[in-house]
């Protein structure tokens, strides 16, 4: 017997995955190591790899092999799921003709360049024409994909980041949260005003001490340093390749708190990558399931576990020790107050856990309307300001801290935003289920021992890779489809309930 | 008018060059940054890139395009030279059928693995069968290439590293040097015995101080840090990509002298890469000409310039300052004695400037005989020991410091060795010509200002890339073909003449 169609497909997708890994390491290098003179060459290298992968996926033979493989009834469940993922990737790769792909890529590059100047100048008019061109091509792009995938244009864009994700599922989740937030936020702020204000630890905090502390906490969380690294980049990210997962952070010698939480956030992403099943590492079914699930893994570590009072009981002495800190700023209670401080503001990336979803819901509403043709670029500043006022009761000083603040639309990443808050909701629901399933998890976190949590995540999330759809994975892990209830419960407990009182049930380290 | 055959060839070779650059950065990362878990994946990434480049070069369309392009009489001199380089690469790529390429690659991987154990155990018998298999395949490989290139099998191997290089040119150069060396060495050793022994500076020498000193001297030599980096790896090398040239060294806190000279050596390689002509960076004609010329550039900086008394007058205070060194060990005269110490020994990579060629000549004689079938693997230990005794008057304690010491043969790099000593001869001849052409070069070096030397090298070597053959380049730059005279003159002056007396003609820094 010769090589089956399915096996030949595995070879094609394996090569693509290997080359994607190569590209991912080159991208990491670009962000962490590359001298400025390498930029033009690196862009060429990455583009060449992308073209080769695209050529491999869109080769007419792949469509034929898929049809042949789909008649193969001898495949096991992982193989069958892999075949479905192959079809899905092939649909995306072949949905848009290359002229439009290139036009969109050029329009977004041009727009991003203008945006880099327009944002600090808070000059929306300067970038509006370029953004208009991007939007118009994004609509064309979305329509082409929609036709192929059999969904709405917005859903077709969302589907690249969140396979199977649909606005009709997201709308009720987000609208319910939007209804919950304003009143909840008011209560949190009122209560916070009555409690002592957090004391800021005084620096400077040397980079090397921050780095060592980050490495110490990464090790506690379970990062495998034989298969990964920690480095520095302008924006923290998690990248790398099979067996080689690389996270980054950015240090500020006046404030260690952000870099440290960024390390823990990216460590959550890294645990997902490091926990993907060995046997499927170079196949589509072996990849992380969706952006929302990826974000849920970073937020379980950062928000659910590491901003908890339990974890900070463990971490506070290590943090104080790292910087030879003494006094009231370095207690678990004070660090907890710092790390759960709620402060509505105009900037998404500076937002706390409570107000962050409002930023996302606003962007989700707006991008959906723009892709649907219900709104144009010129309407954006006014709609933005009205929306942020409705959700958070504030008005940006200018468009620089309003609709110009994020790169996503200018860079062509339409349909990405909702995955942040879907991730936060998923994190809360998974974490609640994990705590319910293993009563050892929380006491472990309080001792800086994440083994029980990691084991649950590996069994219920990481080890499944893309074997199940996102909804099926969540239902299997938590007993029900994704809803906002665990997230709201967690917010209530942390910001209005027990955790806010500093009452923790788990053991403390001495 | 459509795209010409020549232009289409430029596109093919451009993609190959861009992907080779990607591979080169991945290789650098593997040697400097990669955690151990990344090894298997990285091997896959590098292999995939190699396969893609090989597929691109051996596509039957390339042969057709070459024939078509060779009938094109409208090309300028750089284009015509580029076309000839394309043909040369295509000949190499298509000379050996893929089954043999794969068998050779597998045999060398297997042999290298065994060698890694056999070398420290000094157990030649353990690796002999695997090396026999490599040799037998190397002969087949060489014969296939020889038929295609119209030269002897050994020349066909040499030609991969040294395009156009032929044993009939090398033989008289090496035999003349082999005749010169023994008596010369005896005179040097005699004279050295009469002079004061060098005083070893006392450490420890912290890595960070060594690194900063290396960066300082790299800057003096003219390394462009906007287009490159310095890092650490087990074996020093120069790699990277267009606009992004990366060198490495290895630090020993007990001895700064080796790491520092390795930095300067690799800086010489880097200047060549950084000086290649902008317009041809992704074409064959735009690449460095040959391994011997590359080595000549590293040796001009390391051996000719930086081990000179003139340079050490400049560098000694910086070196002393880097390690807060005081006393007789830190004078220019003492550092010069250290850096020109001659000491025959069995190990090539530890050899000084005078005895190094003996190691190379031995290997050259042996590998030529083995490829020609005049010698078998089992004859190697005895032939090695006889040869090193003849050339240097010493006997290795065992095969670990004899014929097992270098990776090259076990790894399949037959035909590489002669380029080291060709490089040393070329370095001396080019440096002599440079000093003759610009009387400002030596005083510049004595001030730590390499601008005049760099300008001469850029005009006569770097900027020409592969526009001329190696012999034509050397003749154009020095007025005559490569001979060993400048090298012998340089050795005589340094080890028996003026420089050995500490008499320098150029200005000194205070």
């Amino acid at each position: 017997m010769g090589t089956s169609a399915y096996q030949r497909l595995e070879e094609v997708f394996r090569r693509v995955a290997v080359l994607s890994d190569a590209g991912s390491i080159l991208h990491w290098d670009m962000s962490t190591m590359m001298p400025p003179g390498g930029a033009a060459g690196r862009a060429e290298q990455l583009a060449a790899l992308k073209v080769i992968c695209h050529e491999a996926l869109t080769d007419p033979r792949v469509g034929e092999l898929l049809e042949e493989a789909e008649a193969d009834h001898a495949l096991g469940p992982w193989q069958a799921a892999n075949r479905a993922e192959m079809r899905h990737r092939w649909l995306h790769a072949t949905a848009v003709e290359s002229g439009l792909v290139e036009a969109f890529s050029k329009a977004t590059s041009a727009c991003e360049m203008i945006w880099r100047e327009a944002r600090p100048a808070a000059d929306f008019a300067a970038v509006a024409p370029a953004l208009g061109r991007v939007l118009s091509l994004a609509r064309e792009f979305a329509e082409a994909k929609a036709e192929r995938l059999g969904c709405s244009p917005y859903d077709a864009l969302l589907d690249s980041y969140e396979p199977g994700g649909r606005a009709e599922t997201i709308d009720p989740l987000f609208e319910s949260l939007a209804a919950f937030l304003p009143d909840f936020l008011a209560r949190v702020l009122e209560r916070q005003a009555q409690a002592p204000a957090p004391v800021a630890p005084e620096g400077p905090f040397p980079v090397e001490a921050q780095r060592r502390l980050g490495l110490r906490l990464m090790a506690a969380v379970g990062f495998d340093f034989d298969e990964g690294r920690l480095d520095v980049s302008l924006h923290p990210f998690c990248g790398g390749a099979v067996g080689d997962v690389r996270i980054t952070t950015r240090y500020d010698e006046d404030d260690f708190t952000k870099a440290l939480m960024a390390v823990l956030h990216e460590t959550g992403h890294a645990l997902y990558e490091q926990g993907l099943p060995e046997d499927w590492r170079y196949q589509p079914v072996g990849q992380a399931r969706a952006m929302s699930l990826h974000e849920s893994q970073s937020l379980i570590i950062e928000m659910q576990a590491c901003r908890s009072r339990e974890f900070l009981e463990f971490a506070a002495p290590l943090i104080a020790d790292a910087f030879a800190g003494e006094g009231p700023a370095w207690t678990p209670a004070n660090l907890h107050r710092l790390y759960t401080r709620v402060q509505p503001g105009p900037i998404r990336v500076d937002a706390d856990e409570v107000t962050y979803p409002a930023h996302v819901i606003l962007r989700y509403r707006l991008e959906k309307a723009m892709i649907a043709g219900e709104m144009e670029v010129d309407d954006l500043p006014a709609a933005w300001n009205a929306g942020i006022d409705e959700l958070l009761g504030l008005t940006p000083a200018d468009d620089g801290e309003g609709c110009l603040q994020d790169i996503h639309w200018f860079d062509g990443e339409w349909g990405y935003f909702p995955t942040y808050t879907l991730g936060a909701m998923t994190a809360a629901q998974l974490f609640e289920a994990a705590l319910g399933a293993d009563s050892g998890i929380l006491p472990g976190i309080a001792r800086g021992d994440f083994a029980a949590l990691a084991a649950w995540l590996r069994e219920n999330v990481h080890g499944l890779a893309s074997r199940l759809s996102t909804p099926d994975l969540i239902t299997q892990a938590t007993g029900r489809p994704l809803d906002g209830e665990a997230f709201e419960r967690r917010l209530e407990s942390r910001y209005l309930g027990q955790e806010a009182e500093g009452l923790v049930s788990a053991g403390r380290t001495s």
Side-chain angles (χ1 to χ4, degrees), chain A residues 175-198:
Chain A
E175 289 316 314
S176 162
L177 187 57
F180 166 83
L181 280 177
D183 176 55
F184 176 73
L185 174 60
R187 288 160 61 211
V188 170
L189 292 175
E190 192 183 348
R191 177 183 187 122
Q192 208 175 244
Q194 290 157 4

Side-chain angles (χ1 to χ4, degrees), chain A residues 118-359:
Chain A
R119 181 192 170 181
D123 185 357
F124 184 76
V127 73
L131 183 60
R133 172 98 182 121
V134 166
L135 174 56
S136 137
L137 289 165
R139 286 172 180 158
E140 263 189 71
F141 199 95
E143 273 153 29
K145 284 207 166 180
E147 197 173 317
R148 205 72 194 286
L149 297 169
C151 61
S152 79
Y154 181 78
D155 287 346
L157 297 177
L158 173 64
D159 195 87
S160 310
Y161 307 108
E162 193 62 22
R166 296 296 177 259
E168 66 176 15
T169 321
I170 298 172
D171 287 343
L173 294 171
F174 279 17
E175 289 316 314
S176 162
L177 187 57
F180 166 83
L181 280 177
D183 176 55
F184 176 73
L185 174 60
R187 288 160 61 211
V188 170
L189 292 175
E190 192 183 348
R191 177 183 187 122
Q192 208 175 244
Q194 290 157 4
V199 186
E202 277 195 33
F205 309 103
V207 165
E208 188 49 31
Q210 292 193 53
R211 201 181 74 90
R212 269 197 237 114
L213 175 64
L215 293 171
R216 171 72 183 82
L217 297 185
M218 284 167 75
V221 172
F223 187 93
D224 179 352
F225 287 97
D226 276 347
E227 303 207 344
R229 297 177 48 97
L230 168 66
D231 295 276
V232 175
S233 68
L234 190 57
H235 302 287
F237 70 94
C238 171
V242 167
D244 185 1
V245 176
R246 303 184 178 192
I247 70 169
T248 67
T249 191
R250 175 168 61 155
Y251 299 106
D252 174 353
E253 295 214 322
D254 295 326
D255 176 8
F256 70 86
T257 60
K258 280 186 190 170
L260 185 60
M261 274 302 149
V263 165
L264 292 164
H265 182 95
E266 301 306 332
T267 298
H269 283 303
L271 289 191
Y272 194 178
E273 293 292 324
Q274 292 189 331
L276 292 169
E278 289 282 345
D279 290 350
W280 295 95
R281 301 197 94 165
Y282 290 110
Q283 293 299 317
V285 75
Q287 314 296 307
R289 175 68 278 184
M291 293 306 298
S292 69
L293 267 177
H294 230 309
E295 189 69 7
S296 81
Q297 298 310 294
S298 59
L299 292 175
I300 281 176
I301 299 303
E302 180 204 345
M303 286 290 175
Q304 301 292 323
C306 294
R307 289 190 194 240
S308 71
R309 185 61 195 265
E310 289 83 359
F311 180 74
L312 290 166
E313 290 283 341
F314 158 74
L318 298 177
I319 295 172
D321 186 53
F323 306 113
E326 278 180 20
W330 304 89
T331 65
N334 184 64
L335 290 172
H336 185 256
R337 276 195 291 276
L338 269 175
Y339 271 133
T340 55
R341 188 76 180 166
V342 175
Q343 178 69 60
I347 304 295
R348 176 181 62 86
V349 296
D350 293 337
D352 54 78
E353 187 178 16
V354 174
T355 57
Y356 198 104
H359 293 276

Side-chain angles (χ1 to χ4, degrees), chain A residues 43-67:
Chain A
E44 296 232 30
Q45 295 154 27
L46 292 172
L49 288 172
K50 220 175 222 177
V51 166
I52 288 165
C53 290
H54 187 74
E55 284 171 357
L57 285 183
T58 56
D59 186 316
R61 190 81 190 103
V62 172
E64 294 161 26
L65 287 170
L66 276 169
E67 280 192 29

Side-chain angles (χ1 to χ4, degrees), chain A residues 353-390:
Chain A
E353 187 178 16
V354 174
T355 57
Y356 198 104
H359 293 276
V360 170
I361 291 170
L362 168 67
R363 287 154 178 77
Y364 171 68
R365 288 172 176 170
L366 296 175
E367 70 178 12
K368 233 176 24 154
M370 285 190 280
I371 292 297
E374 296 158 5
M375 214 183 105
E376 296 303 327
V377 159
D378 290 341
D379 307 325
L380 186 54
W384 181 286
N385 292 348
I388 199 79
D389 183 38
E390 181 203 324

